[in-house]
Amino acid sequence: SICQGDTTVLAAPPGYSEYLWSDHQTGQVIYATHPGRYFGILQDSNGCASLTQVIDIKQVIDVPPKIYAPQGNTICQGDTLILIATEGKNYLWSNAVTGTQALEVTQTGDYTVTTDARCFNGQWTSDPFHVEVLSATVPEVEDVVILSGDSVLLTADGINCQWYDQPVGGTLLGTGPSLQTNPISGATTYYVES
């Protein structure tokens, strides 16, 4: 592999009377400055020809790293967003985390990552990736006292409200801003997520 503007040396075995390379250079040693497939045709003093092994030279594209997040750039308070940097070496994130291609974030801010450059002695820094954490307001809750066997109409403000019987992994009881409970015979807690 070569970087733009760089040169790599290709050498054929010694002892041949003529050397002709696929890019029309001649001589036992040539200087390759462009990507491509190189091979040499070697002719000995008797006029017999042989081919060298094909050498595939690729150009290195040296660009700053990029950050992406499969989940987008917005999360709710208490959630975690995973930022992923494109492939590189010696990762240094703007929050001082090092050595990892992926970063878990929980706070609003602009995040960058720095990696080693491949074609010069230095480092590249990504463009900032903005993360927005939406604040979660504490719900206002009121206890309700009812007679055994009564039903209650529960209401909540929010978008896409979902009502459950457990705080995590519970059964979905209903959707929307209100829920009419089944008859209740004892202390019962309901959970709503928006």
Side-chain angles (χ1 to χ4, degrees):
S1 298
I2 59 172
C3 293
Q4 186 173 0
D6 284 355
T7 299
T8 190
V9 177
L10 303 178
Y16 290 88
S17 57
E18 290 185 35
Y19 297 86
L20 177 62
W21 291 85
S22 55
D23 68 343
H24 305 292
Q25 292 188 61
T26 58
Q28 179 193 352
V29 176
I30 65 166
Y31 300 93
T33 57
H34 300 289
R37 296 175 63 115
Y38 291 82
F39 62 89
I41 302 170
L42 316 177
Q43 188 172 346
D44 64 18
S45 57
N46 297 325
C48 295
S50 62
L51 292 175
T52 65
Q53 173 181 342
V54 175
I55 300 169
D56 193 12
I57 296 179
K58 297 183 180 175
Q59 184 168 355
V60 173
I61 307 297
D62 199 9
V63 294
K66 293 185 187 301
I67 300 172
Y68 65 97
Q71 303 161 294
N73 72 330
T74 304
I75 57 173
C76 292
Q77 184 177 357
D79 290 342
T80 299
L81 183 69
I82 298 174
L83 304 182
I84 302 171
T86 51
E87 193 168 325
K89 291 189 178 183
N90 295 322
Y91 296 99
L92 172 60
W93 291 88
S94 53
N95 63 349
V97 173
T98 62
T100 181
Q101 187 176 0
L103 177 71
E104 292 184 358
V105 296
T106 58
Q107 296 179 350
T108 294
D110 292 324
Y111 294 85
T112 60
V113 66
T114 301
T115 59
D116 289 348
R118 295 173 64 189
C119 289
F120 66 91
N121 188 14
Q123 295 183 314
W124 285 107
T125 299
S126 70
D127 288 335
F129 186 94
H130 183 72
V131 173
E132 188 69 32
V133 178
L134 304 175
S135 62
T137 57
V138 177
E140 293 181 22
V141 179
E142 296 178 19
D143 288 336
V144 176
V145 178
I146 62 171
L147 298 175
S148 181
D150 282 350
S151 176
V152 175
L153 178 64
L154 303 173
T155 60
D157 289 331
I159 299 171
N160 300 323
C161 293
Q162 295 179 324
W163 298 85
Y164 295 94
D165 61 354
Q166 297 292 322
V168 177
T171 301
L172 179 64
L173 302 174
T175 60
S178 62
L179 174 71
Q180 183 72 46
T181 69
N182 290 325
I184 300 171
S185 59
T188 306
T189 304
Y190 294 88
Y191 302 87
V192 63
E193 180 179 284
S194 172

